[in-house]
Amino acid sequence: MLTRIDHIGIACRDLDAAVEFYRRTYGFTDVHIEVNEEQGVREAMLKINDAGDGGATYLQLLEPIRDDSPIAKFLAKNGEGVHHIAFGTDGDVQEEAEGIAAKGVRVLYDAPRRGSMGSRINFLHPKDCGGVLTELVQAVPKTAGR
Ligand code: CMX
Ligand code: CO
């Protein structure tokens, strides 16, 4: 079941400046930064709140690391701004994606790929979702001591 907003993805040209804007303006200081080579981004996950399903809700700031990446293409066409929304599942993301595909929505990957902080992700085509690129996320379960 989809049980939370996992994150909102925001395309930016300068990740460090964007992180600083969100820190200075809103006081969001819980920041995790990583590079996802496969997705072609350097990204920051700013935690906003814990969710009732054991996951959390984040802002995801995305800076392209390659000119042919989806974020670079989006920036060239639209400039900076909201790029996608992501729903979190409390179950298996592949099962979630298959259930949605059965309703006639195009799922972009045959199998889940690696997302932020070791999560498993897939995407739904924006043209089948009212113009909204939509991501599905299965977070890594929290284990004792982490
Ligand atoms: N939101 C809404 N519509 C979008 C969009 C977005 N983010 N990106 C593209 N589109 C629209 C375009 O406006 C275009 O519409 P028109 O034909 O009406 O002009 C159409 O989709 C095709 O766009 P395109 O620029 O030609 O882009 P592509 O088809 O090459 O790629 C997509 C679009 C969604 C398949 C590609 O961006 C993709 O595979 N996305 C998933 C991966 C991703 O976004 N990774 C970065 C984030 C990583 C993370 O969240 O961890
Ligand atoms: Co995302």
Side-chain angles (χ1 to χ4, degrees):
M1 203 197 312
L2 299 176
T3 45
R4 66 181 181 280
I5 302 283
D6 188 274
H7 63 268
I8 298 169
I10 298 171
C12 62
R13 298 188 199 281
D14 181 338
L15 185 70
D16 299 327
V19 168
E20 175 55 18
F21 171 80
Y22 281 94
R23 188 197 63 74
R24 172 174 27 98
T25 309
Y26 307 110
F28 299 145
T29 53
D30 187 344
V31 182
H32 166 89
I33 294 184
E34 68 180 82
V35 171
N36 187 326
E37 287 286 346
E38 186 177 37
Q39 294 294 334
V41 295
R42 190 165 78 94
E43 61 164 86
M45 292 293 274
L46 277 55
K47 187 166 160 185
I48 309 300
N49 59 272
D50 287 309
D53 59 2
T57 299
Y58 302 86
L59 288 181
Q60 182 184 42
L61 307 177
L62 299 151
E63 174 192 80
I65 57 170
R66 284 195 300 274
D67 287 346
D68 63 347
S69 63
I71 296 297
K73 202 169 176 185
F74 180 90
L75 282 170
K77 190 170 175 183
N78 307 286
E80 295 183 308
V82 174
H83 178 257
H84 64 275
I85 62 167
F87 296 122
T89 176
D90 61 358
D92 182 80
V93 73
Q94 182 67 6
E95 282 177 23
E96 207 67 64
E98 285 169 8
I100 291 169
K103 297 172 189 172
V105 173
R106 276 170 291 171
V107 174
L108 294 187
Y109 306 144
D110 291 339
R113 295 190 184 172
R114 193 184 68 77
S116 315
M117 300 179 291
S119 59
R120 301 171 76 224
I121 62 171
N122 210 327
F123 288 89
L124 311 177
H125 201 288
K127 292 293 175 191
D128 295 347
C129 301
V132 180
L133 174 60
T134 304
E135 180 180 352
L136 306 175
V137 182
Q138 177 181 359
V140 172
K142 290 194 186 95
T143 52
R146 267 182 65 208

Short mmCIF file of all heavy atoms in Angstrom, two decimals, residues 7 9 36 38-41 43 45 60 62 69-71 73-74 77-78 82-84 86 108-109 114-116 119 121-127 130-135, ligand 1:
data_model
loop_
_atom_site.label_atom_id
_atom_site.label_comp_id
_atom_site.label_asym_id
_atom_site.label_seq_id
_atom_site.Cartn_x
_atom_site.Cartn_y
_atom_site.Cartn_z
N HIS A 7 8.92 11.72 -1.01
CA HIS A 7 9.64 12.97 -1.26
C HIS A 7 9.05 13.74 -2.43
O HIS A 7 8.26 13.21 -3.20
CB HIS A 7 11.14 12.73 -1.48
CG HIS A 7 11.50 11.90 -2.67
ND1 HIS A 7 11.67 10.53 -2.62
CD2 HIS A 7 11.74 12.24 -3.97
CE1 HIS A 7 12.01 10.07 -3.81
NE2 HIS A 7 12.06 11.08 -4.66
N GLY A 9 10.74 15.81 -5.57
CA GLY A 9 12.03 15.98 -6.24
C GLY A 9 12.09 17.34 -6.93
O GLY A 9 11.17 17.71 -7.69
N ASN A 36 24.15 9.53 -7.28
CA ASN A 36 23.56 8.34 -7.89
C ASN A 36 23.96 8.35 -9.37
O ASN A 36 23.36 9.07 -10.18
CB ASN A 36 22.04 8.34 -7.71
CG ASN A 36 21.40 7.04 -8.18
OD1 ASN A 36 21.86 6.42 -9.12
ND2 ASN A 36 20.32 6.64 -7.51
N GLU A 38 23.80 6.12 -11.71
CA GLU A 38 22.83 5.57 -12.66
C GLU A 38 21.77 6.60 -13.05
O GLU A 38 21.38 6.71 -14.20
CB GLU A 38 22.16 4.34 -12.04
CG GLU A 38 21.23 3.61 -12.99
CD GLU A 38 20.64 2.36 -12.37
OE1 GLU A 38 20.33 2.36 -11.16
OE2 GLU A 38 20.48 1.39 -13.10
N GLN A 39 21.33 7.41 -12.04
CA GLN A 39 20.32 8.43 -12.31
C GLN A 39 20.94 9.73 -12.82
O GLN A 39 20.22 10.64 -13.24
CB GLN A 39 19.49 8.71 -11.05
CG GLN A 39 18.64 7.54 -10.59
CD GLN A 39 17.53 7.19 -11.57
OE1 GLN A 39 17.07 8.04 -12.33
NE2 GLN A 39 17.12 5.94 -11.59
N GLY A 40 22.26 9.82 -12.78
CA GLY A 40 22.96 10.99 -13.30
C GLY A 40 22.82 12.23 -12.42
O GLY A 40 22.75 13.35 -12.93
N VAL A 41 22.78 12.01 -11.10
CA VAL A 41 22.58 13.15 -10.20
C VAL A 41 23.51 13.14 -9.00
O VAL A 41 23.94 12.08 -8.53
CB VAL A 41 21.13 13.19 -9.64
CG1 VAL A 41 20.12 13.44 -10.74
CG2 VAL A 41 20.78 11.93 -8.85
N GLU A 43 22.67 14.51 -5.27
CA GLU A 43 21.38 14.85 -4.67
C GLU A 43 21.51 15.03 -3.17
O GLU A 43 22.41 14.49 -2.53
CB GLU A 43 20.37 13.74 -4.97
CG GLU A 43 20.79 12.39 -4.41
CD GLU A 43 19.62 11.41 -4.36
OE1 GLU A 43 19.39 10.76 -5.37
OE2 GLU A 43 18.98 11.31 -3.30
N MET A 45 18.96 14.73 0.30
CA MET A 45 17.67 14.39 0.89
C MET A 45 17.55 15.17 2.19
O MET A 45 18.36 14.97 3.12
CB MET A 45 17.58 12.89 1.17
CG MET A 45 17.54 12.03 -0.09
SD MET A 45 16.04 12.24 -1.07
CE MET A 45 14.92 11.08 -0.28
N GLN A 60 13.87 16.20 -2.04
CA GLN A 60 15.03 15.68 -2.76
C GLN A 60 15.49 16.75 -3.74
O GLN A 60 14.77 17.07 -4.69
CB GLN A 60 14.64 14.40 -3.52
CG GLN A 60 15.81 13.76 -4.27
CD GLN A 60 15.36 12.54 -5.09
OE1 GLN A 60 14.31 12.57 -5.72
NE2 GLN A 60 16.15 11.49 -5.06
N LEU A 62 18.05 17.88 -6.63
CA LEU A 62 18.73 17.10 -7.67
C LEU A 62 19.53 18.01 -8.59
O LEU A 62 18.97 18.91 -9.24
CB LEU A 62 17.68 16.35 -8.51
CG LEU A 62 16.81 15.36 -7.75
CD1 LEU A 62 15.44 15.22 -8.41
CD2 LEU A 62 17.50 14.00 -7.68
N SER A 69 21.47 13.44 -18.74
CA SER A 69 20.64 12.86 -17.67
C SER A 69 19.24 13.48 -17.70
O SER A 69 19.05 14.58 -18.24
CB SER A 69 21.29 13.14 -16.31
OG SER A 69 21.36 14.54 -16.09
N PRO A 70 18.24 12.79 -17.12
CA PRO A 70 16.89 13.34 -17.09
C PRO A 70 16.82 14.73 -16.44
O PRO A 70 16.08 15.59 -16.92
CB PRO A 70 16.10 12.31 -16.27
CG PRO A 70 16.83 11.03 -16.44
CD PRO A 70 18.28 11.41 -16.58
N ILE A 71 17.60 14.96 -15.40
CA ILE A 71 17.54 16.27 -14.73
C ILE A 71 18.15 17.36 -15.61
O ILE A 71 17.62 18.48 -15.69
CB ILE A 71 18.23 16.22 -13.35
CG1 ILE A 71 17.49 15.25 -12.41
CG2 ILE A 71 18.32 17.60 -12.72
CD1 ILE A 71 16.06 15.64 -12.08
N LYS A 73 18.18 17.38 -18.84
CA LYS A 73 17.20 17.60 -19.92
C LYS A 73 16.04 18.46 -19.41
O LYS A 73 15.59 19.39 -20.08
CB LYS A 73 16.69 16.23 -20.41
CG LYS A 73 16.13 16.22 -21.79
CD LYS A 73 15.89 14.79 -22.28
CE LYS A 73 15.22 14.83 -23.64
NZ LYS A 73 14.86 13.48 -24.12
N PHE A 74 15.58 18.15 -18.21
CA PHE A 74 14.47 18.90 -17.61
C PHE A 74 14.86 20.36 -17.39
O PHE A 74 14.10 21.28 -17.70
CB PHE A 74 14.06 18.25 -16.28
CG PHE A 74 12.92 18.93 -15.57
CD1 PHE A 74 11.61 18.57 -15.82
CD2 PHE A 74 13.17 19.95 -14.65
CE1 PHE A 74 10.55 19.20 -15.17
CE2 PHE A 74 12.11 20.58 -13.99
CZ PHE A 74 10.81 20.21 -14.25
N LYS A 77 14.93 22.42 -20.50
CA LYS A 77 13.60 22.70 -21.07
C LYS A 77 12.76 23.62 -20.18
O LYS A 77 12.07 24.50 -20.67
CB LYS A 77 12.87 21.37 -21.26
CG LYS A 77 11.60 21.46 -22.06
CD LYS A 77 11.07 20.06 -22.40
CE LYS A 77 9.72 20.16 -23.10
NZ LYS A 77 9.16 18.85 -23.37
N ASN A 78 12.84 23.41 -18.85
CA ASN A 78 11.93 24.10 -17.93
C ASN A 78 12.59 25.04 -16.93
O ASN A 78 11.91 25.79 -16.25
CB ASN A 78 11.13 23.06 -17.12
CG ASN A 78 10.44 22.04 -17.99
OD1 ASN A 78 9.44 22.34 -18.62
ND2 ASN A 78 10.99 20.83 -18.05
N VAL A 82 9.98 22.04 -9.48
CA VAL A 82 9.53 20.70 -9.08
C VAL A 82 9.62 19.75 -10.28
O VAL A 82 9.13 20.06 -11.37
CB VAL A 82 8.08 20.75 -8.55
CG1 VAL A 82 7.57 19.34 -8.28
CG2 VAL A 82 8.01 21.58 -7.27
N HIS A 83 10.28 18.61 -10.07
CA HIS A 83 10.51 17.64 -11.14
C HIS A 83 9.62 16.41 -11.02
O HIS A 83 9.12 15.90 -12.02
CB HIS A 83 11.99 17.22 -11.12
CG HIS A 83 12.35 16.19 -12.14
ND1 HIS A 83 12.54 14.86 -11.82
CD2 HIS A 83 12.54 16.29 -13.48
CE1 HIS A 83 12.85 14.19 -12.92
NE2 HIS A 83 12.86 15.03 -13.93
N HIS A 84 9.42 15.91 -9.80
CA HIS A 84 8.56 14.73 -9.62
C HIS A 84 8.06 14.65 -8.18
O HIS A 84 8.58 15.33 -7.30
CB HIS A 84 9.31 13.44 -9.99
CG HIS A 84 10.49 13.11 -9.14
ND1 HIS A 84 11.75 13.62 -9.37
CD2 HIS A 84 10.62 12.32 -8.04
CE1 HIS A 84 12.59 13.15 -8.45
NE2 HIS A 84 11.92 12.36 -7.62
N ALA A 86 7.04 11.56 -5.20
CA ALA A 86 7.33 10.16 -4.91
C ALA A 86 6.45 9.68 -3.76
O ALA A 86 6.40 10.31 -2.70
CB ALA A 86 8.80 9.99 -4.53
N LEU A 108 8.29 2.73 -15.86
CA LEU A 108 9.48 2.97 -16.71
C LEU A 108 10.51 1.85 -16.68
O LEU A 108 11.18 1.60 -17.67
CB LEU A 108 10.13 4.30 -16.32
CG LEU A 108 9.29 5.55 -16.60
CD1 LEU A 108 10.11 6.81 -16.35
CD2 LEU A 108 8.75 5.57 -18.02
N TYR A 109 10.69 1.18 -15.54
CA TYR A 109 11.72 0.14 -15.44
C TYR A 109 11.08 -1.24 -15.26
O TYR A 109 10.10 -1.37 -14.53
CB TYR A 109 12.64 0.39 -14.24
CG TYR A 109 13.28 1.77 -14.18
CD1 TYR A 109 13.49 2.39 -12.96
CD2 TYR A 109 13.70 2.44 -15.33
CE1 TYR A 109 14.08 3.64 -12.86
CE2 TYR A 109 14.29 3.69 -15.24
CZ TYR A 109 14.48 4.29 -14.01
OH TYR A 109 15.08 5.53 -13.93
N ARG A 114 18.15 1.31 -7.82
CA ARG A 114 18.57 1.84 -6.52
C ARG A 114 18.28 3.34 -6.46
O ARG A 114 18.67 4.09 -7.35
CB ARG A 114 20.07 1.60 -6.31
CG ARG A 114 20.52 1.86 -4.86
CD ARG A 114 22.02 1.70 -4.71
NE ARG A 114 22.75 2.75 -5.42
CZ ARG A 114 22.89 4.00 -4.98
NH1 ARG A 114 22.35 4.37 -3.83
NH2 ARG A 114 23.57 4.89 -5.67
N GLY A 115 17.60 3.75 -5.39
CA GLY A 115 17.33 5.16 -5.17
C GLY A 115 18.11 5.68 -3.97
O GLY A 115 19.08 5.05 -3.52
N SER A 116 17.68 6.80 -3.43
CA SER A 116 18.37 7.45 -2.32
C SER A 116 18.48 6.53 -1.12
O SER A 116 17.54 5.82 -0.77
CB SER A 116 17.59 8.69 -1.88
OG SER A 116 17.18 9.44 -2.98
N SER A 119 17.31 2.85 -1.11
CA SER A 119 15.91 2.49 -1.38
C SER A 119 15.78 1.80 -2.74
O SER A 119 16.71 1.83 -3.56
CB SER A 119 15.03 3.75 -1.35
OG SER A 119 15.48 4.68 -2.32
N ILE A 121 13.46 1.81 -6.18
CA ILE A 121 12.55 2.79 -6.80
C ILE A 121 12.12 2.36 -8.20
O ILE A 121 12.78 1.55 -8.86
CB ILE A 121 13.22 4.18 -6.91
CG1 ILE A 121 14.48 4.14 -7.79
CG2 ILE A 121 13.54 4.73 -5.52
CD1 ILE A 121 15.07 5.53 -8.12
N ASN A 122 10.99 2.93 -8.64
CA ASN A 122 10.57 2.84 -10.02
C ASN A 122 9.81 4.12 -10.34
O ASN A 122 9.52 4.91 -9.43
CB ASN A 122 9.71 1.60 -10.26
CG ASN A 122 9.84 1.06 -11.67
OD1 ASN A 122 10.03 1.84 -12.63
ND2 ASN A 122 9.76 -0.25 -11.83
N PHE A 123 9.53 4.36 -11.61
CA PHE A 123 8.85 5.59 -12.02
C PHE A 123 7.66 5.26 -12.90
O PHE A 123 7.66 4.26 -13.63
CB PHE A 123 9.81 6.49 -12.82
CG PHE A 123 10.87 7.16 -11.99
CD1 PHE A 123 12.08 6.52 -11.76
CD2 PHE A 123 10.65 8.41 -11.42
CE1 PHE A 123 13.06 7.13 -11.00
CE2 PHE A 123 11.63 9.03 -10.65
CZ PHE A 123 12.84 8.39 -10.44
N LEU A 124 6.66 6.14 -12.86
CA LEU A 124 5.49 6.06 -13.73
C LEU A 124 5.57 7.20 -14.74
O LEU A 124 6.01 8.31 -14.39
CB LEU A 124 4.21 6.21 -12.90
CG LEU A 124 4.12 5.31 -11.66
CD1 LEU A 124 2.83 5.61 -10.89
CD2 LEU A 124 4.21 3.83 -12.03
N HIS A 125 5.17 6.92 -15.98
CA HIS A 125 5.34 7.92 -17.03
C HIS A 125 4.44 9.14 -16.78
O HIS A 125 3.24 8.97 -16.54
CB HIS A 125 5.04 7.32 -18.40
CG HIS A 125 5.67 8.11 -19.51
ND1 HIS A 125 5.18 9.36 -19.89
CD2 HIS A 125 6.76 7.88 -20.27
CE1 HIS A 125 5.95 9.83 -20.86
NE2 HIS A 125 6.92 8.97 -21.10
N PRO A 126 5.01 10.35 -16.87
CA PRO A 126 4.18 11.54 -16.58
C PRO A 126 2.99 11.68 -17.51
O PRO A 126 1.95 12.23 -17.11
CB PRO A 126 5.18 12.71 -16.75
CG PRO A 126 6.32 12.17 -17.53
CD PRO A 126 6.40 10.71 -17.20
N LYS A 127 3.11 11.19 -18.74
CA LYS A 127 2.00 11.34 -19.69
C LYS A 127 0.80 10.47 -19.31
O LYS A 127 -0.30 10.69 -19.81
CB LYS A 127 2.48 10.98 -21.11
CG LYS A 127 3.47 11.97 -21.69
CD LYS A 127 2.83 13.32 -21.93
CE LYS A 127 3.84 14.34 -22.40
NZ LYS A 127 3.30 15.71 -22.39
N GLY A 130 -1.33 12.50 -15.64
CA GLY A 130 -1.77 13.90 -15.62
C GLY A 130 -0.64 14.90 -15.65
O GLY A 130 -0.75 15.99 -15.08
N GLY A 131 0.48 14.52 -16.29
CA GLY A 131 1.60 15.45 -16.42
C GLY A 131 2.54 15.46 -15.23
O GLY A 131 3.42 16.32 -15.16
N VAL A 132 2.36 14.50 -14.30
CA VAL A 132 3.20 14.46 -13.10
C VAL A 132 4.10 13.23 -13.14
O VAL A 132 3.60 12.10 -13.07
CB VAL A 132 2.34 14.43 -11.82
CG1 VAL A 132 3.22 14.38 -10.57
CG2 VAL A 132 1.39 15.62 -11.76
N LEU A 133 5.41 13.42 -13.30
CA LEU A 133 6.33 12.29 -13.17
C LEU A 133 6.22 11.78 -11.73
O LEU A 133 6.36 12.56 -10.77
CB LEU A 133 7.76 12.74 -13.48
CG LEU A 133 8.86 11.68 -13.26
CD1 LEU A 133 8.64 10.43 -14.12
CD2 LEU A 133 10.24 12.29 -13.54
N THR A 134 5.96 10.49 -11.59
CA THR A 134 5.65 9.91 -10.27
C THR A 134 6.59 8.75 -9.99
O THR A 134 6.77 7.86 -10.83
CB THR A 134 4.18 9.44 -10.24
OG1 THR A 134 3.33 10.54 -10.59
CG2 THR A 134 3.81 8.92 -8.86
N GLU A 135 7.19 8.78 -8.81
CA GLU A 135 8.15 7.75 -8.40
C GLU A 135 7.51 6.91 -7.29
O GLU A 135 6.72 7.42 -6.49
CB GLU A 135 9.42 8.45 -7.88
CG GLU A 135 10.53 7.52 -7.41
CD GLU A 135 11.76 8.32 -6.91
OE1 GLU A 135 11.79 9.56 -7.08
OE2 GLU A 135 12.66 7.69 -6.34
N1 CMX B 1 7.38 16.02 -15.33
C1 CMX B 1 6.36 16.12 -16.22
N2 CMX B 1 6.49 15.91 -17.55
C2 CMX B 1 7.72 15.59 -17.99
C3 CMX B 1 8.83 15.47 -17.13
C4 CMX B 1 8.63 15.71 -15.75
N3 CMX B 1 9.63 15.60 -14.87
N4 CMX B 1 9.93 15.13 -17.85
C5 CMX B 1 9.52 15.07 -19.13
N5 CMX B 1 8.19 15.35 -19.21
C6 CMX B 1 7.38 15.42 -20.42
C7 CMX B 1 7.98 16.44 -21.39
O1 CMX B 1 7.51 17.74 -21.11
C8 CMX B 1 7.56 15.93 -22.74
O2 CMX B 1 6.24 16.33 -22.99
P1 CMX B 1 5.84 16.95 -24.43
O3 CMX B 1 6.09 15.82 -25.40
O4 CMX B 1 4.38 17.27 -24.28
O5 CMX B 1 6.73 18.13 -24.65
C9 CMX B 1 7.55 14.41 -22.55
O6 CMX B 1 7.44 14.20 -21.12
C10 CMX B 1 8.85 13.79 -23.05
O7 CMX B 1 9.89 14.52 -22.43
P2 CMX B 1 11.41 14.55 -22.87
O8 CMX B 1 11.97 15.85 -22.41
O9 CMX B 1 11.54 14.17 -24.33
O10 CMX B 1 12.03 13.45 -21.94
P3 CMX B 1 12.19 11.89 -22.13
O11 CMX B 1 10.97 11.30 -22.77
O12 CMX B 1 13.52 11.61 -22.71
O13 CMX B 1 12.22 11.47 -20.58
C11 CMX B 1 11.19 10.54 -18.70
C12 CMX B 1 11.11 11.66 -19.74
C13 CMX B 1 10.10 10.81 -17.66
C14 CMX B 1 10.95 9.19 -19.37
C15 CMX B 1 12.63 10.59 -18.05
O14 CMX B 1 12.81 11.85 -17.44
C16 CMX B 1 12.86 9.50 -17.03
O15 CMX B 1 13.19 8.38 -17.35
N6 CMX B 1 12.65 9.81 -15.72
C17 CMX B 1 12.86 8.84 -14.64
C18 CMX B 1 14.23 8.95 -14.03
C19 CMX B 1 14.49 10.27 -13.39
O16 CMX B 1 13.74 11.22 -13.52
N7 CMX B 1 15.65 10.35 -12.66
C20 CMX B 1 16.03 11.53 -11.91
C21 CMX B 1 15.51 11.49 -10.50
C22 CMX B 1 16.16 10.42 -9.67
C23 CMX B 1 15.51 10.18 -8.32
O17 CMX B 1 14.41 10.65 -8.07
O18 CMX B 1 16.14 9.48 -7.49
#
